[in-house]
Amino acid sequence: MKPDIRDIEQEDWKAFSDLLIRLSRETPYTLLTESENRALSNTQEERTRQLISDPNQLVVVASHHGSLVGFVAVSRGLFTRNRHAGSLMIGVLPDYQGKGIAAALMQRALSWAESGQITRIELGVMENNDRAIRFYERFGFEKEGIKRNSLMMDGVPVNEISMSRISQQNG
């Protein structure tokens, strides 16, 4: 499977909103629930416009046969003391996992970060998401700590693992 990996475009706003809704419905590991993503869908067109115009943001999408099947987003710190750091989110629909799509998205995000002198990429992952943890470790992310009872899944507290990747370049 060879997905199209590209920067998000304004015309993608509806498909991107639908992707976020599907991800929250089809996997338990998203921060926002399906109803929260649905509630935000009416602002997605403007939020996409803002993402595209902001040089401190990157959103890359993966499409297969014209449908969005995954994304990665990186947000760079806005201040002098955190401009070297970025926060990463990634999601791929379950039917498309294990096919190299997440790896292609991650590579694109890391290239963007390094070209912008972002030397630290950080993320949070639910402690029970072993597959994602192994994936992040393959890309050089290391566990930094545990945020105890940070999230709730079906009324049950879940720990969140903080992970980061520190590049060796000078920033």
Side-chain angles (χ1 to χ4, degrees):
M1 170 180 299
K2 181 78 167 115
D4 178 31
I5 305 291
R6 60 177 174 75
D7 289 358
I8 194 168
E9 299 171 354
Q10 186 58 42
E11 299 76 32
D12 292 322
W13 75 267
K14 176 71 169 108
F16 187 59
S17 181
D18 292 344
L19 172 63
L20 296 176
I21 291 167
R22 278 192 68 191
L23 281 166
S24 58
R25 180 176 58 240
E26 295 179 18
T27 144
Y29 299 115
T30 61
L31 178 62
L32 300 182
T33 64
E34 181 180 358
S35 62
E36 290 167 330
N37 273 314
R38 283 189 188 283
L40 288 173
S41 65
N42 63 342
T43 63
Q44 189 63 54
E45 185 173 11
E46 179 57 28
R47 288 186 300 137
T48 300
R49 185 175 289 102
Q50 291 171 357
L51 287 170
I52 291 169
S53 66
D54 186 344
N56 294 306
Q57 302 275 334
L58 172 74
V59 178
V60 175
V61 293
S63 65
H64 187 252
H65 296 304
S67 296
L68 296 188
V69 298
F71 82 99
V72 65
V74 182
S75 300
R76 170 188 213 124
L78 299 177
F79 305 103
T80 300
R81 292 189 173 155
N82 73 349
R83 282 196 57 73
H84 71 286
S87 178
L88 183 136
M89 290 187 301
I90 190 168
V92 174
L93 291 172
D95 289 347
Y96 295 88
Q97 293 175 4
K99 300 179 186 322
I101 294 172
L105 289 166
M106 181 66 83
Q107 289 169 347
R108 181 77 198 315
L110 295 176
S111 287
W112 178 82
E114 289 171 3
S115 72
Q117 286 77 46
I118 296 174
T119 57
R120 174 188 170 82
I121 302 273
E122 56 196 28
L123 58 85
V125 59
M126 291 181 193
E127 186 176 55
N128 58 352
N129 192 348
D130 295 327
R131 184 175 185 182
I133 293 167
R134 286 190 307 274
F135 172 78
Y136 297 135
E137 288 174 339
R138 280 193 359 238
F139 282 90
F141 285 82
E142 297 178 4
K143 295 176 183 174
E144 290 188 324
I146 297 175
K147 294 167 64 177
R148 297 180 353 197
N149 295 350
S150 174
L151 303 167
M152 296 293 281
M153 286 181 68
D154 300 322
V156 177
V158 175
N159 294 340
E160 183 179 19
I161 297 175
S162 296
M163 298 183 79
S164 74
R165 179 182 189 270
I166 309 294
S167 94
Q168 298 305 310
Q169 70 182 19
N170 293 323

